[in-house]
């Protein structure tokens, strides 16, 4: 293996982060987020990226339970933040 | 407790920590050279770790005025194997059981079968061959001898185990300490700290099993007058034990993980002693013998004390073995004790106490100056007068006798015992920054996330699984 699992993970996380940032900027142009939607969407995006990082790391470590707990603890709040942020942003429009 | 002060220049070797979150992930994506990326992450890591690691000027545990250095006769192994404290028949029996079962394999008992015993034997092999008694706290065993030979004119000694007449002069203290630490790492140490010799942590006397075996009981205990020089410094080295091996506790695979590091530490401290001797200084390499490794390691800034009694290091948690080198070389920059929240965490955690098969670890909320456990009135093995958690070594030793190997369940269950992955280091840092009540929650989460389970024989399959070792957590 040239790249270890963790190296590949962080490379992909970089790409995912860039996509999230580009997505947020794109929709901000369209919807003009207010402070609340920025806060909700920002937190949601961070949690989502963190959730991927945590869970994949736990799988690589061989502790699947920590991976699934990661999905619950970080993934669900992340989805809630993102959905709520989207709702606030759309309502404003 | 002494005054705490933050020291950002802590000498601890920290791993690349901040590869996480947006900053780290973005760094990962941007095409900057690997070397530059490493420097950036190291800088961020040093900044963050500096905020969580505090240093102390003095030894960080309170010590009562009546504290006395511990006697070698009062070490559980010395009593269990060499007949000191003959009134404690159960201790002698545990010693016998341990010796007997170490060599027995039980095919029906996973983790104690021939494969596991063979693995264990291989792990200990070098230690048991070249310094067989150092693990049992007996000084001067095998190559860990106290001898400070001066070479005669024209004598050919290819092992270089003699004190050079010419003393090397270092430019300054920092250069001396850098060279000593670098050498220790080259020879195999994972962590190194240097502290002043402190008589409080030295054994008050020493045991000579040879004299016992030869029927000369009057010679079986001797004092510091036989030590070849006045020690000025103690170099303390720590060795990381294999995570997967320790996770199988309490089995012989766990014992193999411990034994492998006993072999490594014997090699390293011997090489360190020869290195110092060739610089023209006197040096005695030690394992568990001659002085108490844990307070010396705390004094040398390698980690904190804990409920289970083991040292908890910042990098490997309690999953380390310790050894030390006494030397008359004092021209070094000494390390200071550190604190990153482990002892605080222990107040609420108690997972090791839950995991211990024989209840040897206390559930007391606060540390104390005296043992509080069931056998406290006949606990000659506890060095009393230091504010810490006292464990019931009698019960622990009994368990070792039952298993015929060195259990290690406490170590395997501890939330600080994690492989070297970024997310564990993140949690450690968050834990260190949080107040007590959050620690309860952190402990529960650690358990919910599936860490620290002991007595799970599937962990042996994971230990042998070739894929299990293919990850890289760095
Ligand atoms: S080694 Fe085993 S018996 Fe001894 S204290 Fe730890 S868990 Fe308990
Ligand atoms: S398991 Fe918990 S209480 Fe025991 S040493 Fe580790 S942190 Fe402390």
């Amino acid at each position: 293996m040239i790249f270890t699992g963790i190296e590949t993970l962080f490379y992909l996380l970089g790409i995912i982060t860039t996509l999230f940032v580009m997505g947020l900027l794109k929709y901000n142009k369209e919807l003009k987020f207010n402070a609340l939607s920025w806060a909700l969407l920002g937190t949601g995006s961070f949690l989502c990226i963190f959730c991927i990082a945590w869970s994949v790391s736990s799988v690589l470590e061989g502790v699947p339970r920590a991976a699934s707990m990661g999905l619950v603890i970080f993934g669900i709040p992340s989805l809630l933040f993102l959905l709520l942020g989207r709702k606030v942003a759309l309502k404003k429009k | 407790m002494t005054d705490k002060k933050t020291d950002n220049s802590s000498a601890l070797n920290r791993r690349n920590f901040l590869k996480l979150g947006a900053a780290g992930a973005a760094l990962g994506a941007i095409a900057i050279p690997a070397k530059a990326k490493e420097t950036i992450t190291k800088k961020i890591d040093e900044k963050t770790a500096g905020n969580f690691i505090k240093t102390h000027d003095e030894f960080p545990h309170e010590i009562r005025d009546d504290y006395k250095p511990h006697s070698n006769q009062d070490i559980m192994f010395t009593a269990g194997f060499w007949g000191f404290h003959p009134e404690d028949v159960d201790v002698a029996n545990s010693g016998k059981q341990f010796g007997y079962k170490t060599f027995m394999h039980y095919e029906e008992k996973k983790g104690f079968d021939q494969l596991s015993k063979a693995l264990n034997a291989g792990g200990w092999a070098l230690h048991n061959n070249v310094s067989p008694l150092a693990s049992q706290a007996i000084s001067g065993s095998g190559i860990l001898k106290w001898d400070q030979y001066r070479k005669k004119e024209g004598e050919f000694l290819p092992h270089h185990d003699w004190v050079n007449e010419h003393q090397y002069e270092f430019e300054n203290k920092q250069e001396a300490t850098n060279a000593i630490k670098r050498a220790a790492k080259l020879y195999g140490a994972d962590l190194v700290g240097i502290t002043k010799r402190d008589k409080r942590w030295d054994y008050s006397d020493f045991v000579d099993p040879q004299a016992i075996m030869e029927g000369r009981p009057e010679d079986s205990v001797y004092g510091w007058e036989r030590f070849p020089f006045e020690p000025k410094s103690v170099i303390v080295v720590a060795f990381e034990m294999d995570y997967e091996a320790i996770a199988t506790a309490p089995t012989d695979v766990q014992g193999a993980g411990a034994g492998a590091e006993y072999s490594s530490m014997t090699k390293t401290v011997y090489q360190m002693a020869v290195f110092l001797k060739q610089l023209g200084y006197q040096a005695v390499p030690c394992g568990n013998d001659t002085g108490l490794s844990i307070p010396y390691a705390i004094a040398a800034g390698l980690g904190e004390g804990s409920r289970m009694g083991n040292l908890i290091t910042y990098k490997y948690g309690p999953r380390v073995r310790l050894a030390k080198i006494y030397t008359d070389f004092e021209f070094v920059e000494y390390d200071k004790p550190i604190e990153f929240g482990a002892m605080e965490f222990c107040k609420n955690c108690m997972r090791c106490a839950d995991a211990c098969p024989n209840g040897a670890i206390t559930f007391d909320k606060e540390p104390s100056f005296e043992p509080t456990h069931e056998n406290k009135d006949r606990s000659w093995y506890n060095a009393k007068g230091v504010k810490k958690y006292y464990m019931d070594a009698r019960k622990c030793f009994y368990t070792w006798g039952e298993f015929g190997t060195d259990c290690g369940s406490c170590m395997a269950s501890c939330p600080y015992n994690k492989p070297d992955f970024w997310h564990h280091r993140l949690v450690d840092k968050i834990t260190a920054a949080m107040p007590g009540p959050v620690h309860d929650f952190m402990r529960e989460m650690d358990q919910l996330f599936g860490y620290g389970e002991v007595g799970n024989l599937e962990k042996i399959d994971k230990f042998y699984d070739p894929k299990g070792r293919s990850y890289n957590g760095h």
Side-chain angles (χ1 to χ4, degrees):
Chain A
M1 242 194 319
I2 301 179
F3 295 107
T4 63
I6 213 90
E7 281 164 353
T8 316
L9 167 68
F10 277 99
Y11 182 76
L12 292 176
L13 279 178
I15 295 175
I16 295 169
T17 308
T18 315
L19 290 178
F20 261 97
V21 171
M22 279 166 60
L24 284 178
L25 291 177
K26 181 174 173 276
Y27 285 108
N28 180 42
K29 251 192 194 155
E30 262 177 43
L31 301 170
K32 296 274 172 280
F33 297 159
N34 61 11
L36 182 62
S37 7
W38 266 122
L40 290 168
L41 291 169
T43 315
S45 310
F46 174 77
L47 273 177
C48 181
I49 295 164
F50 188 80
C51 172
I52 299 170
W54 180 284
S55 301
V56 178
S57 295
S58 300
V59 169
L60 289 172
E61 190 193 336
V63 189
R65 195 160 132 198
S68 32
M69 281 299 290
L71 289 175
V72 174
I73 303 282
F74 310 118
I76 294 176
S78 146
L79 282 181
L80 291 178
F81 274 111
L82 286 175
L83 287 175
L84 210 67
R86 179 176 171 270
K87 211 169 158 190
V88 173
L90 285 175
K91 218 185 239 166
K92 219 192 115 246
K93 201 180 171 193
Chain B
M1 286 279 183
T2 49
D3 287 340
K4 296 162 192 168
K5 80 175 178 34
T6 304
D7 180 357
N8 288 333
S9 65
S10 169
L12 267 180
N13 180 12
R14 301 169 206 109
R15 87 289 329 271
N16 295 340
F17 156 67
L18 251 187
K19 290 172 182 170
L20 80 151
L27 269 179
I30 303 166
I32 50 173
K35 199 89 210 120
K37 211 169 345 186
E38 202 177 288
T39 318
I40 297 168
T41 45
K42 212 170 144 207
K43 280 238 151 62
I44 301 172
D45 181 26
E46 269 166 18
K47 283 257 165 317
T48 58
N51 294 331
F52 294 112
I53 297 179
K54 294 162 190 151
T55 58
H56 293 273
D57 288 328
E58 302 292 332
F59 192 73
H61 297 262
E62 283 176 68
I63 298 166
R64 234 170 33 189
D65 291 343
D66 63 348
Y67 171 84
K68 279 198 220 60
H70 210 45
S71 162
N72 201 167
Q73 300 166 67
D74 293 343
I75 298 293
M76 190 52 87
F77 298 120
T78 331
F81 298 134
W82 298 105
F84 293 90
H85 296 281
E87 72 285 4
D88 273 327
V89 182
D90 50 341
V91 168
N93 282 342
S94 300
K96 264 187 219 140
Q97 279 286 315
F98 183 79
Y100 172 67
K101 287 192 184 157
T102 301
F103 303 105
M104 303 280 291
H105 48 85
Y106 308 88
E107 281 323 301
E108 71 290 354
K109 236 172 126 187
K110 191 168 177 174
F112 298 90
D113 54 359
Q114 192 171 359
L115 177 63
S116 308
K117 289 279 175 192
L119 191 76
N120 198 351
W124 283 91
L126 184 118
H127 170 83
N128 285 351
N129 201 7
V130 301
S131 63
L133 298 170
S135 56
Q136 297 167 30
I138 302 292
S139 297
S141 145
I143 59 168
L144 305 190
K145 57 189 178 297
W146 286 7
D147 181 43
Q148 306 294 309
Y149 190 73
R150 301 269 172 184
K151 191 162 81 84
K152 294 180 193 77
E153 193 62 35
E155 197 177 3
F156 177 59
L157 294 171
H159 51 60
H160 287 89
D161 190 356
W162 42 273
V163 184
N164 203 320
E165 291 303 331
H166 181 262
Q167 269 193 351
Y168 182 80
E169 296 288 338
F170 285 95
E171 288 280 309
N172 53 52
K173 287 186 173 197
Q174 196 58 53
E175 193 198 309
T177 194
N178 289 349
I180 291 174
K181 289 186 174 180
R182 189 65 187 86
K185 295 244 166 147
L186 174 73
Y187 302 143
D190 290 309
L191 302 172
V192 199
I194 309 174
T195 186
K196 275 202 168 76
R197 184 259 181 126
D198 187 332
K199 288 187 180 168
R200 292 175 300 183
W201 316 134
D202 293 336
Y203 290 168
S204 55
D205 51 31
F206 305 102
V207 163
D208 181 357
Q210 193 70 27
I212 299 171
M213 286 187 288
E214 288 169 5
R216 295 181 282 112
E218 65 285 2
D219 294 334
S220 63
V221 179
Y222 58 99
W224 274 90
E225 68 284 351
R226 281 208 212 160
F227 200 80
F229 56 88
E230 182 68 24
K232 297 283 175 14
S233 313
V234 176
I235 303 161
V236 192
V237 278
F239 298 80
E240 182 198 6
M241 291 183 278
D242 186 277
Y243 178 81
E244 273 76 21
I246 298 303
T248 69
T251 68
D252 269 296
V253 179
Q254 186 285 141
E261 295 318 310
Y262 268 96
S263 288
S264 299
M265 73 196 215
T266 307
K267 164 195 167 291
T268 303
V269 290
Y270 178 64
Q271 288 174 307
M272 278 301 285
V274 171
F275 166 67
L276 290 162
K277 285 176 180 176
Q278 282 305 309
L279 287 174
Y281 300 92
Q282 304 191 73
V284 164
C286 309
N288 295 350
D289 53 286
T290 312
L292 300 167
S293 294
I294 293 171
Y296 262 127
I298 294 173
L302 294 193
E304 283 192 58
S306 72
R307 177 178 295 277
M308 71 173 91
N310 289 15
L311 181 81
I312 296 195
T313 65
Y314 177 73
K315 196 169 177 186
Y316 309 111
R319 195 170 27 88
V320 290
R321 289 286 154 185
L322 298 170
K324 51 208 179 290
I325 302 105
Y326 281 72
T327 176
D328 63 351
F329 184 35
E330 70 171 337
F331 184 62
V332 285
E333 193 73 39
Y334 290 111
D335 291 298
K336 289 179 174 181
I338 58 163
E339 186 190 8
F340 50 90
M343 267 299 256
E344 263 312 297
F345 190 77
C346 285
K347 288 184 180 169
N348 296 294
C349 170
M350 306 188 192
R351 281 198 72 184
C352 50
D354 281 332
C356 178
N358 202 17
I361 299 173
T362 174
F363 283 97
D364 291 354
K365 170 92 178 148
E366 294 289 333
S368 52
F369 282 106
E370 294 270 338
T372 55
H373 54 71
E374 197 185 316
N375 289 307
K376 62 179 183 301
D377 296 332
R378 37 183 201 142
S379 66
W380 38 264
Y381 41 81
N382 286 136
K384 296 167 187 110
V386 180
K387 197 164 182 197
K388 61 172 194 152
Y389 292 104
Y390 284 84
M391 58 97 63
D392 192 340
R394 182 187 300 271
K395 284 189 175 175
C396 177
F397 197 46
Y398 177 84
T399 317
W400 287 28
E402 288 282 289
F403 291 130
T405 186
D406 43 299
C407 175
S409 303
C410 39
M411 216 171 3
S413 72
C414 180
Y416 281 95
N417 168 36
K418 291 285 188 316
D420 194 7
F421 268 82
W422 67 273
H423 54 315
H424 297 315
R425 304 285 75 87
L426 177 68
V427 172
D428 288 352
K429 287 181 186 187
I430 294 172
T431 307
M434 293 290 169
V438 184
H439 293 177
D440 271 337
F441 171 74
M442 300 293 244
R443 174 212 138 104
E444 292 307 317
M445 290 308 276
D446 194 68
Q447 208 156 5
L448 266 177
F449 273 64
Y451 290 105
E453 184 196 11
V454 294
N456 178 349
L457 295 179
E458 280 174 22
K459 296 203 172 177
I460 296 180
D461 302 327
K462 195 168 164 194
F463 170 82
Y464 283 111
D465 182 356
K467 284 202 207 90
R469 289 271 75 209
S470 64
Y471 66 70
N472 181 354
H474 294 261

